[in-house]
Amino acid sequence: MLSEDFSITKFAIPAVSVLIAFLAYTSQYFFLHFESVPLTTDETWKINIFALCIWICYYRTCFVDPGRLPKAQERPKPKEQEGDALASRQRWCRRCEAYKPPRAHHCKTCKRCIPKMDHHCPWTSNCVSHFTLPHFMRFLFTRLLACRIWRLFSGSVPHLYGRTVIFQALTTFGLFVLLLRSLWSIGSNTTTIETWEIERHATLVRRARVLGGYLEGPGGIRVQIKKQEYPYDIGIWANIKQSMGGSANFISWFWPLAATPDRQTGWEFETNDFEDPSMSWPPPDPDRIPIPASARPPNNMSMPTYATIQDEIDAFNLRKQEDMKRFQQGPGLQRRKPFYDRYKKRDNAQSDSDESETDSGGYSDEGEEAWRNAEGERLRDFGVDEEAEFYDEEDIPLGVLIERRKQQSAN
């Protein structure tokens, strides 16, 4: 019987390594021992140089640290300047018990928040992030280029060795599709997760359009939903330069030994200023608010009066205990029903018609975090810890802030 911690992903790196070795060296064996058209020494060197580049890029993609949150006292402060308004956005990660920087997401495999996380790649057993994306792109490029060069030599391969040709063709096709998608992402400066967020926001805008511009949040609060432009698309050249480590050196983008992006970067990003500086990304989402509004005092409620100072202290401690208890329970007990379950009794034919085109079949009993995009993908399909990620817009409990302040004072 397999142990509980067994995972097929443990074999991903060895499997990919075997595939690289098979495609790179088996073909050479065929050529070198096929007397009619043997490889020349120069051709053998070229093939093996490209094979070495592939090994270097794959190794770095697998084993370069994708990043981790710096300690609070060491965390770089956001730049307060025009174009960096979203850098000051503060979200709370209940897993790390720390503020979550912009564009960071909590990986359920790496067990930490990853800067500019694209996805957790099963074939590298590592996150594609701000620090590993350049290595990942170089691996795709060198592997695809090596396949192309191999094809130039394969015109006279006999039918007996066609199996290797088939493997090469299938690998080349898969890599080409993945490379095209990755190039589109870095050209628009979007990650896979942010593409999901963009589609999620478009869905909320459609819902709000037929419901008067507002959607209902926990506790009956009404949240205004307006179309919001994606803030991190700063132009194709700047997008590519940022994604490839911040260097404008075109040659370094393809150099297998190029340096990993500076570890001081990745916690704040330039924005395009299409939206008001007060706006943040991802846009407001009523289903990402886990604590019912009824649990909080209304804004217009006057503060209660107490007979003595001790009564006020006792009331404060009671509120603190309730906050800590609610926070420790986690979001699992506060999930909301899927959108259709909440609005199926509304006699709004237009709403049903608009939503059924794109959202039908995308929900389960797990609540709105189970929402799927047009390709049927959820956040967890990208390696994200759904509970930590979907409910990251919660107000930080007072008790947590007090405990953190005590720890900082002690340090």
Side-chain angles (χ1 to χ4, degrees), residues 90-393:
Q90 301 285 4
R91 294 177 295 159
W92 177 261
C93 179
R94 63 178 60 250
R95 300 286 191 248
C96 299
E97 295 188 349
Y99 288 109
K100 183 185 296 183
R103 309 186 77 178
H105 305 278
H106 192 93
C107 176
K108 63 183 178 183
T109 303
C110 298
K111 307 296 183 183
R112 63 180 186 268
C113 284
I114 304 296
K116 196 183 175 182
M117 177 181 173
D118 185 277
H119 68 285
H120 187 90
C121 180
W123 302 111
T124 63
S125 295
N126 198 13
C127 274
V128 177
S129 70
H130 174 74
F131 298 108
T132 59
L133 177 62
H135 303 310
F136 181 74
M137 294 300 298
R138 293 184 194 108
F139 169 68
L140 293 180
F141 177 77
T142 54
R143 188 66 191 91
L144 191 62
L145 184 60
C147 287
R148 179 59 184 167
I149 291 177
W150 185 91
R151 292 287 295 175
L152 296 177
F153 300 129
S154 64
S156 56
V157 174
H159 180 69
L160 178 63
Y161 307 130
R163 184 176 301 177
T164 303
V165 179
I166 294 175
F167 272 114
Q168 286 282 8
L170 292 176
T171 304
T172 301
F173 176 77
L175 290 173
F176 181 71
V177 173
L178 184 56
L179 181 63
L180 284 181
R181 181 170 182 176
S182 300
L183 288 174
W184 179 86
S185 294
I186 67 174
S188 58
N189 204 3
T190 57
T191 64
T192 304
I193 296 172
E194 287 168 342
T195 301
W196 185 95
E197 291 175 340
I198 291 172
E199 188 170 336
R200 167 75 179 175
H201 175 58
T203 298
L204 294 178
V205 171
R206 288 195 299 271
R207 291 178 180 177
R209 185 180 299 123
V210 297
L211 294 173
Y214 290 84
L215 292 179
E216 185 179 296
I221 64 172
R222 300 180 72 221
V223 180
Q224 186 177 17
I225 304 296
K226 299 187 297 183
K227 187 178 185 303
Q228 185 173 326
E229 296 296 332
Y230 178 71
Y232 299 114
D233 186 354
I234 54 178
I236 294 180
W237 173 254
N239 291 341
I240 297 176
K241 185 174 69 172
Q242 182 190 102
S243 299
M244 297 305 292
S247 173
N249 186 345
F250 179 78
I251 297 178
S252 70
W253 297 351
F254 305 96
W255 178 236
L257 298 177
T260 298
D262 187 348
R263 292 290 174 177
Q264 296 299 315
T265 63
W267 309 109
E268 56 188 45
F269 296 92
E270 182 182 355
T271 59
N272 52 31
D273 293 334
F274 288 164
E275 296 288 349
D276 186 270
S278 62
M279 305 296 288
S280 59
W281 188 271
D285 185 341
D287 293 302
R288 299 181 73 149
I289 305 173
I291 298 181
S294 58
R296 309 170 187 167
N299 294 332
N300 58 356
M301 177 181 291
S302 59
M303 294 298 294
T305 57
Y306 301 95
T308 65
I309 295 295
Q310 186 59 44
D311 289 343
E312 184 173 357
I313 294 175
D314 292 340
F316 170 81
N317 289 331
L318 179 61
R319 292 196 303 271
K320 174 182 173 183
Q321 293 175 3
E322 291 175 350
D323 279 345
M324 291 294 292
K325 181 179 179 180
R326 184 167 58 245
F327 183 75
Q328 292 171 355
Q329 285 178 340
L333 301 178
Q334 304 174 41
R335 290 185 175 124
R336 303 181 70 204
K337 292 181 179 180
F339 178 78
Y340 285 112
D341 290 347
R342 285 182 273 131
Y343 288 93
K344 61 184 177 182
K345 295 183 180 181
R346 289 175 176 258
D347 296 326
N348 193 325
Q350 183 62 36
S351 175
D352 293 339
S353 174
D354 289 346
E355 294 298 328
S356 63
E357 293 179 3
T358 56
D359 300 329
S360 60
Y363 300 96
S364 69
D365 294 334
E366 298 177 56
E368 280 290 283
E369 69 267 34
W371 181 85
R372 299 176 185 270
N373 61 13
E375 297 181 5
E377 297 167 323
R378 291 171 51 167
L379 277 173
R380 70 180 183 188
D381 296 323
F382 311 131
V384 174
D385 185 329
E386 277 189 341
E387 287 192 351
E389 182 67 24
F390 204 85
Y391 295 109
D392 64 357
E393 295 187 2

Side-chain angles (χ1 to χ4, degrees), residues 2-17 58 62-63 107-110 120-127 380-383:
L2 298 178
S3 60
E4 293 182 359
D5 60 346
F6 173 82
S7 174
I8 195 172
T9 58
K10 293 181 179 180
F11 296 96
I13 295 179
V16 173
S17 299
Y58 184 62
C62 295
F63 297 108
C107 176
K108 63 183 178 183
T109 303
C110 298
H120 187 90
C121 180
W123 302 111
T124 63
S125 295
N126 198 13
C127 274
R380 70 180 183 188
D381 296 323
F382 311 131

